[in-house]
Amino acid sequence: QVQLVESGGGLVQAGGSLRLSCAASGRAFSWSGVGWFRQASGEREFVAAINWSGSSIVYADSVKGRFTISRDNAKNTVYLQMNSLKPEDTAVYYCAAGENKGLQTPRAYHYWGQGTQVTVSS
């Protein structure tokens, strides 16, 4: 069993930065793939994901070059550094833990956090 808690969301002006954290409890986290998704309206959208070792990372085209995902397994935490934020990045951001393949699809994940709101003003 893995429990996930996101933090670091907030209100920021366009062009600003935020760093989201996903803190996990449960031993399985260290060998789980972890992804970040966001939902503004409608379907949950893939943002970024990292496999258990950090050797495989994928980003959505919309955030490539602006967002960076990383993990510290000693701290059971995954981070999402978000730079050059745009108003269209406004959403609730969720982290999820699960498989180490198919990281861009929600069905690869077994555990989800409650989400943290990110609002980017223009």
Side-chain angles (χ1 to χ4, degrees):
Q1 189 77 8
V2 175
Q3 293 182 321
L4 305 172
V5 178
E6 302 95 335
S7 62
L11 173 64
V12 64
Q13 289 189 331
S17 298
L18 285 173
R19 188 176 81 155
L20 304 184
S21 298
C22 174
S25 62
R27 295 168 61 185
F29 184 79
S30 294
W31 56 81
S32 297
V34 176
W36 286 96
F37 290 77
R38 65 188 181 187
Q39 188 167 17
S41 61
E43 292 187 2
R44 203 162 284 188
E45 175 191 12
F46 170 76
V47 176
I50 186 168
N51 73 335
W52 73 276
S53 66
S55 62
S56 179
I57 291 174
V58 290
Y59 296 99
D61 288 343
S62 58
V63 307
K64 205 171 290 183
R66 300 188 297 122
F67 291 11
T68 302
I69 189 171
S70 61
R71 68 188 298 162
D72 184 341
N73 285 342
K75 296 182 178 179
N76 261 18
T77 303
V78 170
Y79 305 97
L80 185 68
Q81 178 67 43
M82 305 187 297
N83 299 329
S84 302
L85 283 162
K86 304 175 181 180
E88 51 263 44
D89 294 318
T90 295
V92 178
Y93 283 71
Y94 299 88
C95 70
E99 305 294 331
N100 282 284
K101 55 183 179 181
L103 294 172
Q104 298 181 63
T105 60
R107 61 177 176 268
Y109 299 92
H110 309 301
Y111 307 102
W112 291 82
Q114 294 300 305
T116 185
Q117 177 71 47
V118 171
T119 303
V120 184
S121 63
S122 57

